[in-house]
Amino acid sequence: MFAAATKSFVKQVGDGGRLVPVPSLSEADKYQPLSLVVKKKRCFLFPRYKFTSTPFTLKDILLGDREISAGISSYQLLNYEDESDVSLYGRRGNHIVNDVGINVTGSDSIAVKASFGVVTKHEVEVSTLLKEITARKINFDHSLIRQSRSCRKAVLCVVMESIRTTRQCSLSVHAGIRGEAMRFHFMDEQNPKGREKAIVFPAHTTIAFSVFELFIYLDGAFDLCVTSVSKGGFEREETATFALFYRLRNILFERNRRVMDAISRSQLYLDDLFSDYYDKPLSMTDISLKEGTHIRVNLLNHNIPKGPCILCGMGNLKRETVYGCFQCSVDGQKYVRLHAVPCFDIWHKRMK
């Protein structure tokens, strides 16, 4: 009966689907701000999640003894009084009958009256909490962490807000026949015994709450999922391995792209040099034929092996030659390998 009343409250108040009804009166005191609950999907046939209370708070699963000093603000939300008829043939009606154990003989519906009065909303100051937990780490030796980590469907959540009553409240259920005369005649002495049930619960009872999920990394750091887009859970070792693989792959791709760009620019530069050389008449480019210029020599005649041309044989382009110049030197080497045409003339034109 309590669960039916809290579900009806959440359905009417709404809050964009963030509010969760408290499932049991006996567990109502466990859904306080900064308490921990476990969120678990029932199965693929049921899209809704099941929330299970725990006896722990966020501070209990963190390393260190420092308290969390995030403030909790509270204010009046609304005055809630609800009266409704529920069909015995619906899911909600069957749930109430099974929960309360009311006599439904000769009845086709149930009248439910919930009187919560003024309810208040208590919520954690999110910005302050985020600053508090920035450098904190999760204690993986805690029993709740070990048990939740072993179940892939379990997600740890922190209660961020709770809605509570401010006075003693009552819930009443009456079985009867749907109609004007049936609604809310709870004290009708003509009704058979067992057709009416009522409960009274104390003030400051939590009837609904909302949570933020926790995403916990392998190193103990964690994120508070403040939006519905981000999802909580535990980082798995295979997930971390794949993430590292993709990061390394992207680094290698970027490095190869830069190398290929450098080679492409170098090739374009050489193409420009060669085209400039071939586009000009011989009298302007054949510097080696002029008086006082350097002389082409066959390095094999001086016991110097064939090797890459210093101008067009660097990098991945292993263009080799047997010709060179003894009048030029590079890096302490007393000769320079250069193709006879056109690298010899281009090199000396640049040097000149």
Side-chain angles (χ1 to χ4, degrees), residues 52 196 208 243 254 316:
T52 305
E196 179 182 316
E254 180 64 19
N316 293 331

Side-chain angles (χ1 to χ4, degrees), residues 58-192:
L58 179 60
K59 185 258 179 186
D60 296 331
I61 63 171
L62 299 181
L63 293 173
D65 298 328
R66 183 159 52 93
E67 295 289 339
I68 297 177
S69 59
I72 298 176
S73 58
S74 60
Y75 55 90
Q76 289 187 1
L77 185 62
L78 51 82
N79 190 340
Y80 184 80
E81 302 285 342
D82 179 56
E83 299 178 354
S84 60
D85 288 348
V86 180
S87 173
L88 286 176
Y89 305 106
R91 183 174 59 182
R92 185 184 172 196
N94 290 330
H95 178 75
I96 295 175
V97 170
N98 295 330
D99 187 27
V100 179
I102 193 172
N103 181 9
V104 295
T105 305
S107 304
D108 63 358
S109 60
I110 300 174
V112 180
K113 183 176 182 179
S115 177
F116 291 159
V118 176
V119 297
T120 55
K121 186 175 184 178
H122 305 260
E123 57 185 0
V124 180
E125 296 178 0
V126 179
S127 58
T128 306
L129 178 62
L130 291 176
K131 293 178 182 178
E132 286 274 341
I133 63 176
T134 299
R136 303 293 294 271
K137 294 293 184 80
I138 295 293
N139 180 13
F140 284 109
D141 292 331
H142 196 279
S143 58
L144 179 61
I145 298 298
R146 291 200 308 267
Q147 295 171 20
S148 302
R149 196 177 182 184
S150 63
C151 179
R152 288 182 174 269
K153 294 183 179 180
V155 177
L156 276 181
C157 305
V158 181
V159 176
M160 297 301 295
E161 63 180 18
S162 64
I163 297 178
R164 307 175 196 169
T165 61
T166 57
R167 62 171 176 80
Q168 184 173 280
C169 304
S170 62
L171 295 175
S172 302
V173 177
H174 176 78
I177 300 175
R178 185 181 295 273
E180 292 295 329
M182 172 265 189
R183 291 176 62 85
F184 311 118
H185 291 285
F186 295 110
M187 303 306 294
D188 188 356
E189 297 179 357
Q190 302 300 322
N191 288 326

Side-chain angles (χ1 to χ4, degrees), residues 56 85 126 131 139 182 200 214 216 256 272 282 306 328:
F56 305 107
D85 288 348
V126 179
K131 293 178 182 178
N139 180 13
M182 172 265 189
V200 177
L214 292 176
I216 302 174
N256 290 338
D272 291 340
L282 181 62
K306 182 179 180 180
C328 297

Side-chain angles (χ1 to χ4, degrees), residues 296 309 312 319-321 323 337-345:
R296 297 186 186 95
C309 174
C312 66
R319 297 192 177 103
E320 296 183 338
T321 181
Y323 293 98
R337 290 189 180 90
L338 290 163
H339 283 103
V341 177
C343 298
F344 189 92
D345 291 331

